[in-house]
Amino acid sequence: MKAIAVERGADKPVVIEKPRPEPDAGEALVRTLRVGVDGTDHEVIAGGHGGFPEGEDHLVLGHEAVGVVVDPNGTELEEGDVVVPTVRRPPASGTNEYFEKNQPDMAPDGMYAERGIVGAHGFMSEYFTSPSDYLVRIPRSQADLGFLIEPISITEKAREHAYASRSAFDWNPSSALVLGNGSLGLLTLAMLRADDKGYENLYCLGRRDRPDPTIDIIERLGATYVDSRETPVEEVPNAHEGMDFIYEATGFPKHAIQSVQALAPNGVAALLGVPSDWKFEVDAGAFHREMVLHNKALVGSVNSHVRHFEAATVTFTKLPRWFLRELVTGVHPLSEFEAAFEDDDTTIKTAIEFGTV
Amino acid sequence: MKAIAVERGADKPVVIEKPRPEPDAGEALVRTLRVGVDGTDHEVIAGGHGGFPEGEDHLVLGHEAVGVVVDPNGTELEEGDVVVPTVRRPPASGTNEYFEKNQPDMAPDGMYAERGIVGAHGFMSEYFTSPSDYLVRIPRSQADLGFLIEPISITEKAREHAYASRSAFDWNPSSALVLGNGSLGLLTLAMLRADDKGYENLYCLGRRDRPDPTIDIIERLGATYVDSRETPVEEVPNAHEGMDFIYEATGFPKHAIQSVQALAPNGVAALLGVPSDWKFEVDAGAFHREMVLHNKALVGSVNSHVRHFEAATVTFTKLPRWFLRELVTGVHPLSEFEAAFEDDDTTIKTAIEFGTV
């Protein structure tokens, strides 16, 4: 079968031939439909993140997949089930308490592999196998855009943890700011528009000039575009209002620090980005004081697991169809896979199609 | 009646004469037993924190009080009830949503007065009045040390918010570090020793040479003393272990930032200190990355309200008698009140006695 992989020493993905995998006991065989591309894939290709499986000189890419079960292999799945695989798997050293407790998203470095990212092949191949416990059934109607379930699940988890941090009191957020207008930022903005909290005012921060398709989406979602070149994050309360909830999807450490000043009293910021070291001067006294006197919280969040994928399938149904059409700017056949890795100001979210239902 | 107040322009407290207050409708009259002294009182006296009631040139000090009801005045209280008053009250501008929701501890600046601190007289007087809703009944057996209920309530709230932030997953903390060996730090350490989480390893950070009475208490509680001059906060994981829970009671902004590196994966740090502005260089990239990749949380917490005082009366019963004896280094009669404001390395917690049950 064909697979898209990055090989040791290379800086771009290629199509390779691999044997079709055979499911082990407890695993199902899945025929791949589509696999999304995101920033993590670009970092893996550039060599800045992730790593090859033990003893191998290539890594099959892809962690945002949707497929159809072709061999349930005695698991509780059925042939024809449309499924989305989770990403974290036990490391080469074997399972551990995080997997046993069904919360591998809480495992620290070294206690997991991530398919398509670190230590395990991904899903950009015509077939893949997976333990059925890590395959989440989704409605057949979501098969076309099922590659969005994984990124939605990332926000489900971050939102769950952020809201949990505000659960000790009666919190009624009305304003939220998403930092970053990439595909994850826009997905999150649409999720917050549909959120049970009923946010009155939504904002999304970017650094793009008009006309721009992401600004169009932000405004069509009824949100306000905040240009970070005109309004730095810490100026947001003066320019607009203090934010009850902030979702950081830029990986820019100044945003992590400044979000505390941008929060309204009793607000929470969820941090999602993974920056490199960067030292700069911070008014840590003001940061600390503001955290305390206004009961603020910062919550870091990475990865997601089965229950977040399950929540994502419900959230998916609440996202407007026009939004999903505008968000996905390209679904490319395997023969033209390079196009899915191109990135310009008209590209928002791309996927590679390996097959159809 | 006599009261201890700080007058405009003065830098030390004095005894003044005031009329005994008359309870309004809904208020009870309380005869004061004892009032504790803490760092906030010293800041108020020094003029660095708080403020006088509108139109007045003095502020009666004291926010850690215990008293006995002498006139219930038609409220649900009874004569002879031993009570502890909460601290936050509606501001001069009147009540607001935070008081109406019974969570004034979540009110932002300007939406509250604090008795003995900002905008309202405190409890260092022979009698005080208070709406009965803000008087928490405590067991008569706790009357002697009832002035500790308020500081215990501060940690009850911070702990509640910190634990809430970890409630979205199965969190089993085994290690905790208290930053600061003042009276609040030591009270918190004793509370964590009695915590339902069953912490295996407790640590308390200070900067004192042995022999020192706080180090003796730390070690008698079965905790490890960490000298911050030898082991800076960010070195704690190398010297000891990563901490599942950190409680910051130093007001030192380097600790707020460094606590993220000192946390174990999935840990939470509660911030309690209120520092002034202080700019310095921070590796904000490492801070941000560590928050995200290890699902860490920072939670600021200030003040407390009725339910935290109620929890404190239960927690109080779990603290060892020897600990309380060692913690309270002086209870001084009103005639020698100055001694309660002296602070040296043998002083841990002091109180002023206005009367006995």
Side-chain angles (χ1 to χ4, degrees), chain A residues 218-258:
Chain A
I218 291 165
E219 294 181 343
R220 192 161 169 197
L221 284 168
T224 300
Y225 172 60
V226 179
D227 187 329
S228 66
R229 297 166 298 185
E230 293 163 9
T231 310
V233 171
E234 78 268 32
E235 294 296 329
V236 164
N238 288 331
H240 300 284
E241 60 183 309
M243 297 295 155
D244 296 312
F245 180 42
I246 294 177
Y247 181 98
E248 174 273 318
T250 58
F252 191 58
K254 289 200 170 168
H255 290 166
I257 299 290
Q258 293 176 351

Side-chain angles (χ1 to χ4, degrees), chain B residues 9-328:
Chain B
D11 63 355
K12 58 177 68 161
V14 291
V15 172
I16 62 172
E17 273 291 335
K18 284 176 78 88
R20 183 199 283 195
E22 299 281 344
D24 282 337
E27 291 188 332
L29 177 68
V30 179
R31 181 168 62 79
T32 308
L33 297 172
R34 293 175 170 182
V35 184
V37 173
D38 79 353
T40 300
D41 296 308
H42 288 284
E43 290 168 21
V44 169
I45 292 165
H49 188 71
F52 294 91
E54 264 186 25
E56 304 228 12
D57 281 331
H58 75 281
L59 174 74
V60 176
L61 291 168
H63 60 279
E64 300 178 349
V66 56
V68 60
V69 173
V70 288
D71 180 2
N73 192 35
T75 66
E76 75 285 10
L77 293 169
E78 292 181 19
E79 189 180 335
D81 280 350
V82 177
V83 292
V84 170
T86 66
V87 178
R88 284 205 174 165
R89 304 309 168 91
S93 57
T95 192
N96 57 54
E97 63 183 287
Y98 294 96
F99 288 87
E100 284 154 13
K101 281 191 187 173
N102 210 25
Q103 50 187 31
D105 53 307
M106 305 307 288
D109 277 355
M111 301 281 269
Y112 59 80
E114 287 181 335
R115 291 195 67 164
I117 302 171
V118 59
H121 290 305
F123 306 116
M124 285 190 183
S125 51
E126 292 176 287
Y127 295 86
F128 63 86
T129 56
S130 170
S132 59
D133 290 350
Y134 301 141
L135 294 172
V136 178
R137 255 182 292 219
I138 70 169
R140 189 161 269 263
S141 60
Q142 295 179 13
D144 277 4
L145 297 178
F147 59 87
L148 296 177
I149 296 296
E150 194 275 344
I152 293 172
S153 79
I154 296 295
T155 295
E156 292 289 358
K157 175 183 166 180
R159 176 165 66 172
E160 178 190 69
H161 281 230
Y163 289 4
S165 81
R166 309 289 78 189
S167 63
F169 63 102
D170 181 19
W171 185 58
N172 299 111
S174 68
S175 57
L177 167 65
V178 175
L179 303 176
N181 57 342
S183 58
L184 185 61
L186 293 174
L187 264 174
T188 301
L189 192 68
M191 290 169 71
L192 294 177
R193 176 52 77 209
D195 192 295
D196 290 342
K197 296 285 187 195
Y199 288 100
E200 287 168 32
N201 300 324
L202 294 177
Y203 302 83
C204 187
L205 178 132
R207 36 187 299 118
R208 296 273 199 95
D209 293 321
R210 298 168 191 268
D212 178 85
T214 69
I215 300 174
D216 291 345
I217 291 174
I218 291 166
E219 294 181 343
R220 193 161 169 197
L221 283 169
T224 299
Y225 173 60
V226 179
D227 187 329
S228 65
R229 297 166 299 185
E230 293 164 9
T231 310
V233 171
E234 79 267 35
E235 293 297 328
V236 164
N238 288 330
H240 301 285
E241 61 184 309
M243 297 295 154
D244 295 312
F245 180 42
I246 293 178
Y247 182 97
E248 175 273 315
T250 58
F252 190 57
K254 289 200 170 167
H255 290 166
I257 299 291
Q258 293 176 351
S259 64
V260 170
Q261 299 298 336
L263 286 172
N266 310 328
V268 57
L271 305 182
L272 277 285
V274 183
S276 303
D277 287 356
W278 187 17
K279 291 186 185 179
F280 51 85
E281 191 176 73
V282 169
D283 188 338
F287 170 94
H288 185 175
R289 187 175 65 247
E290 188 58 31
M291 286 289 295
V292 173
L293 289 184
H294 287 134
N295 294 290
K296 294 180 177 180
L298 282 185
V299 176
S301 179
V302 68
N303 198 255
S304 58
H305 200 55
V306 170
R307 99 170 163 276
H308 309 112
F309 281 70
E310 289 170 346
T313 68
V314 177
T315 294
F316 182 92
T317 64
K318 300 178 184 169
L319 304 181
R321 298 304 299 177
W322 71 260
F323 167 76
L324 296 168
R325 269 197 313 273
E326 297 290 316
L327 183 79
V328 178

Side-chain angles (χ1 to χ4, degrees), chain A residues 245-310:
Chain A
F245 180 42
I246 294 177
Y247 181 98
E248 174 273 318
T250 58
F252 191 58
K254 289 200 170 168
H255 290 166
I257 299 290
Q258 293 176 351
S259 64
V260 170
Q261 300 297 336
L263 286 172
N266 310 327
V268 57
L271 305 181
L272 279 284
V274 183
S276 303
D277 287 355
W278 186 19
K279 291 185 185 183
F280 51 86
E281 192 177 72
V282 169
D283 189 337
F287 171 94
H288 186 175
R289 187 175 66 246
E290 188 57 32
M291 285 287 296
V292 173
L293 288 183
H294 287 134
N295 294 291
K296 294 180 176 181
L298 283 185
V299 176
S301 179
V302 68
N303 196 256
S304 59
H305 199 56
V306 170
R307 100 170 161 276
H308 309 112
F309 280 69
E310 289 169 346

Side-chain angles (χ1 to χ4, degrees), chain A residues 82-241:
Chain A
V82 177
V83 292
V84 171
T86 66
V87 178
R88 284 205 175 165
R89 305 308 169 90
S93 56
T95 190
N96 57 53
E97 62 184 287
Y98 295 97
F99 287 87
E100 285 155 13
K101 281 189 187 174
N102 210 26
Q103 51 187 30
D105 53 308
M106 305 306 288
D109 277 356
M111 301 282 268
Y112 58 81
E114 286 180 336
R115 292 195 65 163
I117 302 172
V118 58
H121 290 304
F123 306 115
M124 285 189 182
S125 51
E126 292 176 287
Y127 294 87
F128 64 85
T129 57
S130 170
S132 59
D133 290 349
Y134 300 142
L135 294 172
V136 178
R137 256 180 291 219
I138 69 168
R140 190 161 269 261
S141 60
Q142 294 178 15
D144 277 3
L145 297 178
F147 60 87
L148 296 176
I149 296 296
E150 195 275 344
I152 294 171
S153 79
I154 296 295
T155 295
E156 293 288 358
K157 175 182 165 179
R159 175 164 68 172
E160 178 190 69
H161 282 231
Y163 288 5
S165 81
R166 310 289 79 189
S167 63
F169 64 101
D170 181 19
W171 185 57
N172 299 112
S174 68
S175 56
L177 168 64
V178 175
L179 303 176
N181 57 343
S183 59
L184 185 60
L186 294 174
L187 264 174
T188 300
L189 193 67
M191 290 169 71
L192 293 177
R193 176 53 78 209
D195 192 293
D196 290 341
K197 297 284 186 195
Y199 289 100
E200 287 169 31
N201 299 323
L202 294 177
Y203 302 83
C204 187
L205 179 131
R207 36 186 300 119
R208 296 272 199 96
D209 293 321
R210 298 169 192 271
D212 178 85
T214 70
I215 300 174
D216 291 345
I217 290 175
I218 291 165
E219 294 181 343
R220 192 161 169 197
L221 284 168
T224 300
Y225 172 60
V226 179
D227 187 329
S228 66
R229 297 166 298 185
E230 293 163 9
T231 310
V233 171
E234 78 268 32
E235 294 296 329
V236 164
N238 288 331
H240 300 284
E241 60 183 309

